[in-house]
Amino acid sequence: MQEMKIPTAEFKTFSDYKEAKTYLQKCTVPIVIKASGLALGKGVAVCKKINEAEKFLQSAMIEKIFGEAGKEVVIEEYLEGQEISIHAFSDGKTYSLFPTAQDHKPIGDGDTGPNTGGMGTIAPVPWVEKESIENIEESIVRPALKGLTEKGRNFTGCLYPGLKMTSEGPKVLEFNARFGDPEAQSYMRLLETDLLNIVEACIDGTLSDLRVEWNSGYAACIVIASGGYPGNYEKGKIITGIEEAEKVSGVVVFHAGTKEESGEIFTSGGRVLGVTAHAPTLKGALDCAYEGVSKIRFEGMQYRKDIGAKALRFIDTRKHTY
Ligand code: GLY
C-alpha cells in the first residue's frame, strides 16, 4: 500500500514486544492493534485506553493467545467512519467490480460486544455514491492490481479490500484474496451471470469479453449464530424451520455451520445459517430476511436485530426510496 500510495491508516509493524510497548506510549487513543497472522477475525483490538492496548499486546506477543499469528503485531491509527466491503473479480489483466456491501462485525446490536467473522450484510450500500465508487477504483482497486502485476504476481480471483469511509476519503483496513463472508451470500442473490462462467473467464484471462450482470434491487443476509459465539459454543442443536423460512418471498437460506444426520439438520459451527432475501428495496429485503429468520429455531440461537439499520436511517434522512 505504501509503495502504490494506496490510502490506509498510519501504521507500524513490530516483532519485538518491548519496542511495541515503548511505541504505544507515544500513541493517542483509540488505537488499533492487530495480530499480523490469521486469527479467524478475532486478532484485532480497538483500544480506547493505552492500558487496554498494553494488555492486548501482552496477550498477543507474550501469552501468545493467537499462537504464531501474534508473533508480529501491527499498531495502527484508528480510522473514524463506516466500514464497507469492496470486491472485484480479476483475471490478472482487467477487473470487474461488484456492487458495494456492508458487513456488521460486532456480535451485538448497535455494534456492541466482541468482533465476529460477520453477523449480516446488505448490498448495495445505498449511501455510497457513484463518485465514491470511482474514487475507490482509482485510488485502491487499480493501484493494488497494478502493483501486483508490476511485481510479477498478476492477481487472478476475488480481491476484497475492506474499507473505512473517512472524512478524508476511503482508506483500506485490509485486503483479502477471497469472498467476504457473509458478503458472498448477499452477492449470490444479486449476481445474474453464472458464477462458474466468471470463474472460468478469470482463469482463462477472458474477463474483458464477459459482461457480468447484477440484478437490480437489494439483498440482505442475516447470520444466525450459536449461543456463546464468538466465544465458546455448543454444537449438535437440532434446527427447525428452514423450509418454512424459504417459503417467505425472496428468501434463500445458506448453510454455514450445519450438518445433516438421519434427515435432520444440526448446528455444527459458530455461524450456523445465513438467511438472505432479495427485494426491490433495502427495507423489503431486510423485512423478508427477518421474516425468514423468525421461522427458524434452535437452542441458544442468536442474531443481530439491526442489520441494515444504519443504512435505513440514512435513507430516511434522504427521503429516497432505496
Ligand atoms: N465479512 C468479513 C470477512 O469476510 O472477513
Side-chain angles (χ1 to χ4, degrees):
M1 285 191 277
Q2 280 173 337
E3 266 178 51
M4 298 310 292
K5 301 195 172 38
I6 293 172
T8 188
E10 292 293 325
F11 69 93
K12 253 177 139 19
T13 302
F14 297 92
S15 42
D16 182 89
Y17 171 69
K18 274 192 193 142
E19 275 178 31
K21 203 174 159 190
T22 309
Y23 177 77
L24 258 189
Q25 306 314 314
K26 293 183 262 166
C27 295
T28 51
V29 285
I31 187 88
V32 180
I33 306 191
K34 294 175 173 177
S36 229
L38 296 173
L40 296 171
K42 295 174 194 164
V44 181
V46 178
C47 305
K48 296 199 175 75
K49 293 189 182 138
I50 289 293
N51 65 349
E52 265 175 50
E54 283 174 349
K55 226 167 127 193
F56 188 80
L57 200 63
Q58 186 169 344
S59 311
M61 297 187 92
I62 305 290
E63 291 153 31
K64 298 192 173 20
I65 61 167
F66 307 115
E68 287 295 290
K71 229 172 72 182
E72 184 182 83
V73 297
V74 182
I75 301 183
E76 72 177 36
E77 173 199 11
Y78 173 76
L79 298 175
E80 199 71 64
Q82 285 206 47
E83 199 171 327
I84 65 162
S85 303
I86 297 295
H87 289 66
F89 291 117
S90 171
D91 64 355
K93 295 185 279 194
T94 185
Y95 68 90
S96 175
L97 204 68
F98 291 35
T100 52
Q102 186 167 46
D103 193 5
H104 297 66
K105 298 260 180 68
I107 187 74
D109 287 357
D111 289 333
T112 52
N115 259 358
T116 67
M119 292 301 291
T121 47
I122 56 161
V125 186
W127 51 266
V128 183
E129 310 283 358
K130 202 165 152 265
E131 298 75 53
S132 294
I133 296 173
E134 281 165 8
N135 182 3
I136 289 165
E137 285 192 74
E138 209 52 56
S139 64
I140 295 165
V141 177
R142 281 197 204 130
L145 293 171
K146 184 167 175 267
L148 288 164
T149 301
E150 283 173 6
K151 289 185 181 297
R153 292 167 170 257
N154 283 21
F155 182 83
T156 303
C158 181
L159 186 73
Y160 154 30
L163 311 184
K164 267 275 173 90
M165 302 299 277
T166 76
S167 55
E168 292 169 356
K171 294 194 182 187
V172 174
L173 288 179
E174 60 178 15
F175 275 104
N176 299 286
R178 59 171 172 85
F179 277 95
D181 175 8
E183 285 88 338
Q185 292 86 320
S186 283
Y187 282 141
M188 288 308 108
R189 304 306 313 283
L190 293 178
L191 188 60
E192 180 73 33
T193 307
D194 191 322
L195 178 62
L196 187 60
N197 292 344
I198 303 172
V199 170
E200 282 180 340
C202 287
I203 293 167
D204 297 341
T206 54
L207 193 58
S208 58
D209 300 337
L210 186 74
R211 203 179 143 84
V212 179
E213 306 265 14
W214 296 91
N215 286 316
S216 61
Y218 288 84
C221 173
I222 318 298
V223 169
I224 309 184
S226 295
Y229 175 80
N232 295 335
Y233 54 84
E234 289 178 7
K235 297 181 184 174
K237 309 290 181 193
I238 192 160
I239 308 171
T240 59
I242 295 175
E243 278 179 21
E244 286 74 8
E246 289 196 316
K247 285 184 190 145
V248 176
S249 161
V251 169
V252 172
V253 180
F254 288 83
H255 290 237
T258 64
K259 69 172 180 197
E260 191 181 351
E261 251 176 52
S262 317
E264 306 275 20
I265 309 284
F266 295 88
T267 66
S268 153
R271 287 184 296 167
V272 176
L273 296 168
V275 181
T276 65
H278 174 230
T281 63
L282 178 58
K283 183 163 181 337
L286 287 163
D287 286 349
C288 292
Y290 275 115
E291 195 184 330
V293 168
S294 74
K295 312 284 179 195
I296 294 171
R297 292 272 179 278
F298 61 85
E299 192 191 315
M301 67 182 251
Q302 54 166 339
Y303 59 92
R304 277 185 62 160
K305 319 282 184 303
D306 65 344
I307 300 302
K310 271 188 296 210
L312 286 178
R313 278 199 294 278
F314 165 84
I315 290 167
D316 280 350
T317 57
R318 283 293 198 91
K319 304 250 180 299
H320 280 293
T321 309
Y322 286 93

